[in-house]
Amino acid sequence: MTFRVENKFVISKNKVFEFKKWMKKNNYKILYPKRKINSVYFDNKNFTIYTDSLEGITPRKKIRLRTYSNNFLNINNKFNYEVKISSVEGRFKTSKIYETDIMKIFNGIYDKQYGMCYPVLNVIYEREYFSNNKSRITIDTNIKYFKIDGKRISKHSKVDKHFVVENKSKFAEQSTMLDQFIFENKRFSKYCSGIEKIQS
């Protein structure tokens, strides 16, 4: 199990050029080509995962299925079942290939901490990847949230106008590089933001 340091920044569209100048100055290079990420998040009927995330309770989880496709329910997709865990020791993520019939997700997934959890939110966005010799940075843009009601994913989205930047490092001491960062460090969760937007 490898714990990692994660720092998230939410920046406005008009700050992106300035941010990329900062990355260039700090020797960040493109790590992978840009790609689309399509995730479905799960929660129980009381939305306890959402509440725990808002309140910063530990231990807590985010449970999701992820693929790289415009249409989440395409049977030809390859899916990863991912659980992001925040504990008092740190954060880590488990991931495994999901090989069950994708339509069975609407029957729910059982979790020992949260009980039966059902798909409640579909999030689609584009991600760019950069790295230097200390850390990896991703930039998420064109973030769209789709409500899941029963066994149906809505065709109408709510859009997040911000860009989400995340810095990931395996070693806590490397996070000191963020002392020179010009943007505000802010807790941000696509899951929480999405739930709030689809319910508004």
Side-chain angles (χ1 to χ4, degrees):
M1 182 184 301
T2 302
F3 293 101
R4 62 187 181 184
V5 175
E6 296 182 358
N7 296 274
K8 286 187 179 179
F9 305 86
V10 180
I11 60 176
S12 60
K13 189 175 182 179
N14 60 5
K15 288 282 189 178
V16 174
F17 178 74
E18 185 180 356
F19 172 71
K20 288 191 172 181
K21 280 180 61 178
W22 179 91
M23 284 201 302
K24 185 175 182 180
K25 180 181 177 182
N26 286 276
N27 301 312
Y28 281 90
K29 308 293 184 184
I30 295 174
L31 181 60
Y32 305 115
K34 180 192 289 189
R35 64 179 174 179
K36 183 162 289 187
I37 295 179
N38 194 334
S39 298
V40 161
Y41 286 82
F42 293 75
D43 209 331
N44 59 29
K45 292 184 176 181
N46 295 320
F47 283 85
T48 311
I49 292 177
Y50 167 75
T51 303
D52 284 358
S53 182
L54 278 186
E55 296 179 356
I57 291 173
T58 55
R60 64 181 186 274
K61 299 176 181 177
K62 297 278 176 50
I63 302 171
R64 69 187 179 207
L65 276 179
R66 171 166 288 181
T67 189
Y68 304 95
S69 165
N70 287 323
N71 180 6
F72 186 87
L73 296 177
N74 188 325
I75 60 173
N76 295 318
N77 289 343
K78 294 181 179 179
F79 297 92
N80 289 327
Y81 175 69
E82 300 178 348
V83 180
K84 294 183 70 175
I85 299 171
S86 298
S87 67
V88 292
E89 294 85 6
R91 297 177 179 177
F92 63 97
K93 181 176 74 174
T94 65
S95 180
K96 63 181 180 181
I97 302 298
Y98 183 84
E99 297 178 321
T100 310
D101 177 0
I102 189 59
M103 296 307 296
K104 290 186 177 180
I105 65 168
F106 295 107
N107 297 329
I109 291 175
Y110 180 77
D111 178 77
K112 289 183 179 180
Q113 181 176 353
Y114 292 104
M116 285 302 300
C117 295
Y118 302 90
V120 293
L121 180 71
N122 181 208
V123 183
I124 301 176
Y125 55 94
E126 294 179 347
R127 172 167 284 181
E128 296 176 84
Y129 302 82
F130 303 88
S131 69
N132 66 5
N133 61 350
K134 291 185 177 181
S135 68
R136 189 184 84 168
I137 280 179
T138 58
I139 304 176
D140 297 339
T141 59
N142 299 319
I143 304 170
K144 297 179 180 179
Y145 305 110
F146 300 83
K147 184 177 182 178
I148 300 179
D149 189 5
K151 295 188 176 183
R152 186 179 67 88
I153 299 177
S154 174
K155 295 181 180 179
H156 304 288
S157 66
K158 295 292 183 71
V159 177
D160 200 316
K161 295 181 180 180
H162 291 92
F163 286 27
V164 179
V165 175
E166 187 169 7
N167 176 281
K168 297 180 181 179
S169 170
K170 290 184 179 179
F171 305 100
E173 61 269 26
Q174 291 178 353
S175 67
T176 57
M177 67 172 289
L178 296 174
D179 292 342
Q180 62 181 306
F181 204 83
I182 59 176
F183 301 109
E184 179 186 2
N185 193 356
K186 180 180 180 181
R187 285 188 66 221
F188 181 84
S189 162
K190 292 188 190 71
Y191 175 61
C192 290
S193 178
I195 291 296
E196 289 159 9
K197 285 186 180 296
I198 65 173
Q199 291 179 346
S200 63

